[in-house]
Structure formats: structure tokens, C-alpha cells
């Protein structure tokens, strides 16, 4: 169906074909585990973590190319040891995956978000930054945009990471597997806060992450269709035009590039590309591009 698509704060909106899914949780998603840790309050969905269980949900469909968005208010107060994740993933050992992982903190410390990209089952592409606001005090918008040229992670429409297609350099790019959309909250005090030095204080449980305004504007892929056909069906042709394939979506605008530079310069605290202890040889995708 037609969709007025405005991407990444662009001022020009153009009419292209896209798939627009409802913002109602129950139409897009279903609980994956611990249904008794879900709380519905009007338009809000709350996921609880206690010393019995966390909770998670996944999309009913899988998608290839487009944009997925959620508004999220993270765990308030002392959230050390907890992780709230919002991510996309395909299935199998050679899966592709795009991760937002929000790492809990001790009260008063900045909340950090870790992103990661898996391609054909290989990850180890972590970047971590401290957010420039307190994400536990109000809702903020977190999005993943994906087409054949790039994967873009956005916070309140500000790009915080771009993973560029460098197939012409022999580097695989995640463009051939349909992906589900997922979110969860769980205890990860073996690594989440200060490298695992700060453990979860269960006296502060339950830890609650609150969601609203789910949106999936992407190409829905039938389960029975092969990946080759999915890629073809979700790409523009003479017969159909998808908004994510338009030339303006192939790279960041100048303004967005400046935003990304600002984020990296002022808020990034870890970049796998600069970790020579882990990677004595710089990963190939890091040589010429910021990822």
C-alpha cells in the first residue's frame, strides 16, 4: 500500500510503495517467553525482569529492507546488570542480526547503548556509546533502517551507526535473509555493567522496560518463499518502486553525516575498529569506512 515516507528527518516526503504495519503490539508481535512478565496498560507495554525471569517478544512476520521503530523508556534507578535489547535477526547458524543493547547502570551513571552487526553468523562488531540524555526518564525513539546499501541505527532520528555495503571489496553484506524483529529484557550481570564488576541488586526488582508506538514499515516476507525470491520481491523494479531503494536512501545526507560525526566524537566509548588488542589486524570493513 502507498506510504508517505519521511526518512531520517528528511524535509521532503515522497510517495512510494511500502508496507506499513499497524502500531498495535498484538497485530505485529507475540510474546516469546514469560507471558506472566508482560503488563498492558492502555497503549503501553511493560516487560518485567525479576530474579525468576526476564521476558521477550518477537514479530509475527519476517522482513527484508525497510525501517522498524519502537519508543522505549528504559529501567529507572539502579539498573546495573540488566540488559534491554531491541534487535532484528534471521535464523540459523549463518544468521544476520542488527542489535541495540541497552546496558543498565548504577544510579547516576550514564546509560550506554551497545550496537552490533552479525553477517553470516559472524558478529564481534560492537560499538558502545553513552546516550546524551537519560533514557529512563522519558520515551525515546529507536530505529533500524536497512536496504541493499546500508544499515543505519538511529536514536531520535539521529544516526549513531552506519554499516555500509562493501561487497565490491569482498566483504559480505546482510542483504539475503529475511529478519524478525525482537525485544527482551534479561539479567546479564556477568558482563553488562562495568564488564561484570557490578552485579544486579535484586532488592530493586522488578526492573521494568516500557514500550509504545511500534512501527514496521518494511517488506514482509512469506515464510515459504526462498531468500533469492525475497530479495527480488523486496527490490524496486520497472513495475514497482519501494521507498527504501530511492537514491536518497543510499547514503546519509550531509546533515546526517554531521550528526554521526558529532555522536562518534562526543559519545562513543568503545569501537571494535579501534580495539587493537582484540583485532591486531584492523577488520577489513574498518579500513576506509566508519562502521
Amino acid at each position: 500500500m502507498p506510504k508517505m515516507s519521511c526518512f531520517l528527518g528528511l524535509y521532503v516526503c515522497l510517495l512510494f510503495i511500502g508496507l506499513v504495519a499497524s502500531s498495535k503490539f498484538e497485530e505485529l508481535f507475540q510474546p516469546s517467553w514469560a507471558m506472566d512478565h508482560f503488563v498492558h496498560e492502555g497503549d503501553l507495554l511493560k516487560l518485567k525482569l525479576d530474579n525468576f525471569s526476564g521476558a521477550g517478544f518477537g514479530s509475527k512476520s519476517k522482513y527484508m529492507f525497510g525501517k522498524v521503530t519502537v519508543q522505549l523508556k528504559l529501567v529507572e534507578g539502579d539498573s546495573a546488570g540488566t540488559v534491554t535489547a531491541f534487535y532484528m535477526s534471521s535464523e540459523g547458524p549463518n544468521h544476520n542480526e542488527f542489535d541495540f543493547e541497552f546496558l543498565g547502570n548504577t544510579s547516576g551513571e550514564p546509560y550506554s547503548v551497545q550496537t552490533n552487526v552479525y553477517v553470516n553468523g559472524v558478529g564481534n562488531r560492537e560499538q558502545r556509546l553513552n546516550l546524551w540524555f537519560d533514557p529512563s526518564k522519558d520515551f525515546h525513539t529507536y530505529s533500524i533502517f536497512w536496504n541493499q546499501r546500508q544499515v543505519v541505527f538511529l536514536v531520535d532520528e539521529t544516526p549513531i551507526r552506519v554499516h555500509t555495503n562493501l561487497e565490491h571489496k569482498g566483504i559480505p553484506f546482510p542483504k539475503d535473509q529475511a529478519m524478525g524483529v525482537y525485544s527482551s529484557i534479561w539479567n546479564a550481570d556477568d558482563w553488562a555493567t562495568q564488564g561484570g564488576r557490578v552485579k544486579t541488586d535484586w532488592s530493586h526488582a522488578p526492573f521494568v522496560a516500557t514500550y509504545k508506538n511500534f512501527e514496521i514499515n518494511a517488506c514482509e516476507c512469506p515464510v515459504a518463499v526462498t531468500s533469492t525470491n525475497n530479495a527480488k520481491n523486496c527490490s524496486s523494479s520497472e513495475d514497482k518502486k519501494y521507498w527504501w531503494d530511492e537514491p536518497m536512501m543510499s547514503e546519509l545526507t550531509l546533515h546526517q553525516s554531521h550528526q554521526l560525526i558529532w555522536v562518534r566524537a562526543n559519545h562513543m566509548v568503545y569501537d571494535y575498529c579501534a580495539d587493537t588488542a582484540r583485532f591486531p589486524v584492523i577488520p577489513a570493513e574498518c579500513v576506509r569506512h566508519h562502521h
Side-chain angles (χ1 to χ4, degrees):
M1 60 184 293
K3 161 69 173 175
M4 289 293 289
S5 293
C6 308
F7 174 61
L8 307 188
L10 289 173
Y11 294 105
V12 179
C13 300
L14 301 175
L15 184 65
F16 296 110
I17 297 173
L19 184 146
V20 183
S22 163
S23 62
K24 293 183 181 298
F25 172 83
E26 60 273 12
E27 294 181 10
L28 294 177
F29 298 96
Q30 57 194 7
S32 303
W33 45 289
M35 291 185 65
D36 59 344
H37 283 57
F38 284 70
V39 179
H40 293 271
E41 294 181 358
D43 293 333
L44 302 181
L45 170 67
K46 297 184 175 183
L47 263 56
K48 299 190 300 180
L49 166 67
D50 55 30
N51 55 353
F52 296 103
S53 180
F57 60 83
S59 60
K60 295 180 179 179
S61 298
K62 288 183 167 54
Y63 304 90
M64 184 174 288
F65 308 139
K67 187 178 181 183
V68 300
T69 298
V70 68
Q71 289 190 309
L72 177 60
K73 183 163 67 172
L74 294 168
V75 176
E76 292 189 54
D78 183 355
S79 56
T82 71
V83 172
T84 304
F86 173 58
Y87 62 104
M88 299 188 70
S89 182
S90 58
E91 297 178 353
N94 297 317
H95 74 292
N96 298 331
E97 185 174 332
F98 313 140
D99 296 337
F100 274 110
E101 292 179 314
F102 302 96
L103 310 182
N105 62 3
T106 53
S107 297
E109 294 294 315
Y111 233 108
S112 60
V113 56
Q114 178 169 285
T115 58
N116 201 355
V117 175
Y118 285 74
V119 184
N120 297 335
V122 179
N124 297 322
R125 297 181 176 91
E126 297 90 348
Q127 290 183 356
R128 191 176 297 184
L129 56 90
N130 290 334
L131 292 167
W132 51 94
F133 52 83
D134 184 343
S136 69
K137 297 301 183 187
D138 204 351
F139 287 94
H140 290 269
T141 302
Y142 304 96
S143 306
I144 300 168
F145 170 76
W146 171 37
N147 64 10
Q148 297 188 60
R149 300 293 188 88
Q150 59 180 353
V151 181
V152 185
F153 294 79
L154 302 116
V155 175
D156 291 333
E157 295 301 319
T158 295
I160 65 165
R161 179 174 186 169
V162 177
H163 186 85
T164 306
N165 186 335
L166 297 175
E167 287 181 308
H168 64 284
K169 296 184 178 296
I171 299 170
F173 183 78
K175 67 174 190 179
D176 61 351
Q177 298 181 37
M179 306 171 82
V181 186
Y182 305 91
S183 189
S184 57
I185 184 171
W186 78 95
N187 178 44
D189 65 4
D190 57 331
W191 65 271
T193 305
Q194 297 181 28
R197 289 188 294 273
V198 181
K199 302 300 182 181
T200 305
D201 184 348
W202 294 111
S203 70
H204 295 157
F207 303 99
V208 178
T210 308
Y211 300 76
K212 68 177 183 178
N213 293 344
F214 301 91
E215 183 175 351
I216 298 176
N217 183 1
C219 187
E220 187 172 357
C221 298
V223 174
V225 176
T226 65
S227 60
T228 301
N229 286 333
N230 278 332
K232 182 178 179 180
N233 293 341
C234 294
S235 301
S236 295
S237 64
E238 291 183 1
D239 300 326
K240 59 184 185 297
K241 298 292 183 184
Y242 289 117
W243 67 270
W244 50 82
D245 281 335
E246 289 307 303
M248 71 178 66
M249 302 302 172
S250 64
E251 60 184 10
L252 299 185
T253 66
L254 182 60
H255 175 63
Q256 293 154 6
S257 296
H258 289 161
Q259 288 180 311
L260 181 61
I261 291 170
W262 174 81
V263 168
R264 293 179 61 89
N266 293 283
H267 298 283
M268 181 169 285
V269 295
Y270 176 81
D271 182 2
Y272 78 105
C273 286
D275 191 339
T276 55
R278 284 179 68 197
F279 304 102
V281 177
I282 298 175
E285 69 266 23
C286 300
V287 175
R288 292 174 180 258
H289 292 261
H290 288 312
H291 272 62

